[in-house]
Amino acid sequence: MFMFSRSICCAKLNQLSTFETLFSNLKLRPCATPLIGPLQTCEYRIYREKAEYANVNWDELGFALTKTDYMYVMNFTEEEQKFFNGTLTRFGNIEMCPSSGILNYGQGLFEGLKAYRKEDEGILLFRPQENALRMKMGADRMCMPSPTVDQFMDAVKKTVLANKRWVPPYGRGSLYVRPLLMATGRNLGVKPSSDYTFLVYASPVGNYHKGDLNLMVEDNVHRAIPGGTGGIKAVTNYSPVYKPLTEAKAKGFSDLLFLDALTGSNIEEGSACNIFILKGNVISTPTTHGTILPGITRKSIMEIASDFGYQVEERAIPIKEVFDAEEVFCTGTAMVVKSVASITYQGKRIGYKLGAETLAQKLHATLTGIQTGLIEDKLGWTMLID
């Protein structure tokens, strides 16, 4: 049991009630101790209650939905013109009009972030404000209202705490949190919805990719186009790549690496991750110019790598350069940081360095150390919520 002690000396035993009132908001337990001289010493101990865990085989977690206890729901109506009266409710199905904007026209966004268990069983969120700001940016592009940053943060914290028994023990996974912003008003015509729903649910998860990461370059289908929505987390960005992704997995590949739609010669990103290449002391990643999602893990890794002494650059990266790289790795909320084992392009396959000595592994260790409280967070990225 985690605890620390504070000793209080009372000239009279009945003064104890004063201290009990003073510390009433803390989890304090008075412990009787022998008399010391003319004074009586009462020791108070502050305890962190031992965490309760759901009945889950944490060692078998993959990246799939495990139903938890609660979700958070908040609505925006045409009459109110704001999000209001957010509430926790039991996790379950929701009702929706068949003509809602999300179902008919795909007017919707989502975010993804994680809560981590510390060694002392406290719970940390990683950079939730960045997700709130990215949702606001995406909502503006999709002509949608969005919750304020404070509303977003409050909803995420309440969802995690309501489901805290589903946050895996330290080092055995994380609680993936999925905020959704959906057009739920009745809408037959092609126009923005009148009503919207902001919903947050969560699920414990393990590794996104458990084996080696082998990528195939997709040069026929493009994930995003200039002027489109590739730079935000629009719900419509993902299903168009299901067909080529399914075909690639049938051939034994883990994921796809997409090329830019304009020239077809520069790498952009995977189906759900950003990509980096290493040459000497230089780390390069494609510029986020509207077709590539500005990943929060991507941003964090760039800062950590710079602190390591690497030169980090954002630029157009021709596919040819990938074959000269010493190391390639991908980043994302789901996969965190993972080395790429191989890339195959037009029948040519190149393998890359793997193992404990890779830069990717060092970056992964540092980032997850910060996320779980093992490494001091000097950048203010984490938020203790328990």
Side-chain angles (χ1 to χ4, degrees):
M1 181 178 292
F2 172 78
M3 66 180 180
F4 65 90
S5 301
R6 175 169 181 166
S7 295
I8 302 171
C9 294
C10 306
K12 296 180 181 179
L13 192 59
N14 61 12
Q15 287 180 336
L16 204 55
S17 61
T18 303
F19 290 98
E20 287 172 343
T21 301
L22 179 63
F23 296 111
S24 61
N25 292 327
L26 297 177
K27 291 180 179 177
L28 296 172
R29 299 177 188 174
C31 304
T33 58
L35 295 180
I36 302 177
L39 298 179
Q40 292 174 322
T41 301
C42 182
E43 184 181 73
Y44 277 76
R45 292 178 182 172
I46 300 178
Y47 293 79
R48 181 187 295 282
E49 296 294 332
K50 187 169 179 60
E52 174 196 354
Y53 291 101
N55 185 20
V56 173
N57 185 345
W58 304 111
D59 297 321
E60 295 298 320
L61 277 180
F63 199 88
L65 178 69
T66 298
K67 292 181 180 180
T68 53
D69 298 323
Y70 294 94
M71 61 186 185
Y72 183 95
V73 181
M74 182 166 58
N75 293 306
F76 175 104
T77 64
E78 189 173 24
E79 294 76 23
E80 291 287 339
Q81 285 296 300
K82 64 179 180 180
F83 282 97
F84 65 99
N85 293 344
T87 184
L88 286 165
T89 185
R90 298 295 295 187
F91 180 87
N93 296 338
I94 58 174
E95 288 190 4
M96 197 175 295
C97 179
S99 69
S100 63
I102 182 67
L103 295 179
N104 288 259
Y105 302 111
Q107 191 185 17
L109 297 161
F110 72 89
E111 275 296 327
L113 64 158
K114 287 178 176 178
Y116 294 86
R117 188 78 68 174
K118 297 174 63 183
E119 279 188 308
D120 67 7
E121 297 190 325
I123 298 172
L124 292 173
L125 286 173
F126 183 71
R127 307 192 79 171
Q129 188 173 25
E130 293 288 331
N131 295 92
L133 293 171
R134 190 168 65 181
M135 176 167 275
K136 289 184 72 67
M137 179 184 71
D140 182 67
R141 173 66 180 84
M142 296 292 284
C143 203
M144 305 171 73
S146 64
T148 66
V149 171
D150 287 342
Q151 286 176 322
F152 182 102
M153 303 267 280
D154 182 62
V156 168
K157 286 188 283 188
K158 285 179 176 175
T159 303
V160 173
L161 290 175
N163 294 296
K164 64 181 181 180
R165 72 191 189 100
W166 298 93
V167 181
Y170 170 78
R172 297 170 73 183
S174 59
L175 186 73
Y176 184 84
V177 184
R178 172 60 62 83
L180 291 167
L181 183 59
M182 304 173 287
T184 47
R186 299 176 181 180
N187 211 23
L188 191 60
V190 180
K191 61 180 181 180
S193 180
S194 57
D195 298 341
Y196 298 85
T197 297
F198 176 64
L199 185 152
V200 185
Y201 69 92
S203 173
V205 296
N207 293 329
Y208 192 71
H209 288 289
K210 290 194 174 182
D212 288 343
L213 188 56
N214 296 292
L215 306 181
M216 185 185 84
V217 177
E218 174 54 59
D219 53 2
N220 292 315
V221 176
H222 297 286
R223 179 189 171 276
I225 60 172
T229 59
I232 62 173
K233 287 188 78 69
V235 297
T236 50
N237 287 353
Y238 295 85
S239 57
V241 307
Y242 286 175
K243 181 176 173 57
L245 181 59
T246 300
E247 293 171 349
K249 287 187 174 182
K251 297 175 182 176
F253 295 100
S254 313
D255 202 348
L256 294 171
L257 176 58
F258 291 93
L259 302 176
D260 73 296
L262 199 60
T263 70
S265 61
N266 298 319
I267 64 171
E268 290 212 321
E269 61 181 333
S271 61
C273 58
N274 296 117
I275 191 165
F276 290 78
I277 67 171
L278 171 67
K279 291 183 181 180
N281 196 53
V282 180
I283 300 171
S284 303
T285 190
T287 307
T288 56
H289 46 54
T291 58
I292 297 173
L293 186 73
I296 295 164
T297 306
R298 171 187 182 272
K299 180 179 180 179
S300 305
I301 286 300
M302 290 172 68
E303 293 185 52
I304 293 171
S306 293
D307 289 343
F308 281 180
Y310 287 89
Q311 178 184 332
V312 181
E313 56 183 27
E314 298 177 85
R315 62 180 177 84
I317 303 176
I319 183 62
K320 296 177 184 177
E321 286 193 34
V322 172
F323 294 102
D324 297 327
E326 298 165 20
E327 193 177 325
V328 179
F329 56 91
C330 291
T331 65
T333 299
M335 71 168 56
V336 190
V337 185
K338 190 170 180 68
S339 294
V340 172
S342 72
I343 294 178
T344 299
Y345 176 54
Q346 296 181 344
K348 180 182 178 182
R349 181 186 182 279
I350 184 74
Y352 301 100
K353 182 181 178 182
L354 300 174
E357 297 305 312
T358 59
L359 173 61
Q361 192 62 34
K362 295 173 185 176
L363 291 169
H364 181 277
T366 301
L367 181 60
T368 56
I370 294 171
Q371 290 171 331
T372 59
L374 189 63
I375 294 175
E376 182 184 359
D377 176 16
K378 297 180 180 179
L379 299 168
W381 286 348
T382 57
M383 175 183 291
L384 182 66
I385 62 167
D386 185 34

